[in-house]
Amino acid sequence: MIPRQILDDLAIRVLLVAATEEEHDVVARLVAGFEHGTHTVDWVQTFEAAVAAMGSADFDLLLIADRLGEHTGLELIAHVEQQSHPTPSILLSATADRDRELEALQAGAADFLSYDRIDPDRLERSIRHTLVHAQTLDALRTEKSAADAATDAKSRFLANVSHDIRTPLSTIIGMTEILLRDDLIATQRDALKTILVASETLTALANGLVDV
């Protein structure tokens, strides 16, 4: 978790995706009222411009308006969420709409805010919570990647060990089966059968290593 002092001192780069200058001015006034941190807001007006901006610069957060001309904010969020490391996003809507809020959260948005119910404190708090949540997800992804890598390394090691054990055992089993075809006294045959059973047991154990 990000310590409170660090959160207060963060320099955060935000990409605002909003079709109208009026929406831009609303967000600019809200950000100007923040009490903590430094927030730099870049503004683009279309889906295509947002994709281009994200491709050329790194942003800590996306503020996405619900209506973007021919596209919707939900479409942009869905596009962002398809990336390997999606930038956290908040959907902004003209009015509160519970169904739209659920759609936004299901699409991958960290929060849903309406212009008619928003103030600087609420937007700042939403951004802070979104960034903490995003960092937690990044940490979980990192831990999962490390766990997957360890699992892959273990699987490769066990496969190699299994192969190294089974190769000589196959020779022992084959030679023992050949010897058992000869005329042998009882004690010799019993000894060879013991070797064969033991070798087959070890082979089964070696095969089981691959499934661990």
Side-chain angles (χ1 to χ4, degrees):
M1 182 178 294
I2 307 175
R4 174 62 183 273
Q5 182 178 356
I6 295 178
L7 274 174
D8 290 346
D9 296 337
L10 277 178
I12 300 169
R13 187 173 184 183
V14 178
L15 177 63
L16 171 64
V17 188
T20 68
E21 188 171 350
E22 180 182 1
E23 289 174 300
H24 167 266
D25 292 344
V26 169
V27 172
R29 286 194 298 271
L30 291 168
V31 171
F34 288 179
E35 296 183 0
H36 307 288
T38 302
H39 298 72
T40 301
V41 180
D42 293 29
W43 175 39
V44 295
Q45 295 177 279
T46 65
F47 178 102
E48 294 78 10
V51 172
M54 288 184 285
S56 61
D58 292 328
F59 295 94
D60 300 301
L61 180 77
L62 306 176
L63 292 176
I64 303 174
D66 194 18
R67 302 300 175 186
L68 299 174
E70 296 180 357
H71 296 277
T72 67
L74 291 180
E75 289 179 278
L76 181 56
I77 291 172
H79 173 82
V80 170
E81 288 299 310
Q82 292 176 357
Q83 310 307 308
S84 56
H85 294 286
T87 303
S89 61
I90 296 172
L91 187 68
L92 303 175
S93 179
T95 58
D97 183 330
R98 181 165 178 77
D99 290 337
R100 198 63 170 172
E101 177 180 357
L102 291 176
E103 288 179 332
L105 297 177
Q106 290 170 352
D111 202 355
F112 174 93
L113 300 174
S114 59
Y115 291 121
D116 60 343
R117 295 186 181 182
I118 196 172
D119 57 40
D121 180 66
R122 184 175 181 185
L123 179 58
E124 185 179 14
R125 184 170 62 252
S126 177
I127 290 175
R128 183 167 60 248
H129 291 176
T130 296
L131 293 176
V132 171
H133 179 65
Q135 190 194 49
T136 301
L137 288 180
D138 284 342
L140 290 174
R141 290 191 190 99
T142 299
E143 291 177 4
K144 183 180 184 301
S145 295
D148 289 344
T151 298
D152 290 343
K154 174 187 173 184
S155 296
R156 288 193 299 271
F157 171 75
L158 291 176
N160 290 334
V161 169
S162 176
H163 176 268
D164 292 343
I165 293 174
R166 285 185 287 115
T167 298
L169 283 174
S170 295
T171 301
I172 293 171
I173 290 172
M175 294 302 297
T176 302
E177 290 175 340
I178 291 173
L179 290 173
L180 283 170
R181 297 171 190 165
D182 294 338
D183 292 330
L184 303 170
I185 63 175
T187 54
Q188 292 174 324
R189 185 170 296 279
D190 288 343
L192 287 173
K193 286 183 178 180
T194 299
I195 293 173
L196 184 61
V197 170
S199 298
E200 290 174 342
T201 299
L202 286 174
T203 299
L205 291 173
N207 290 334
L209 288 176
V210 181
D211 299 326
V212 172

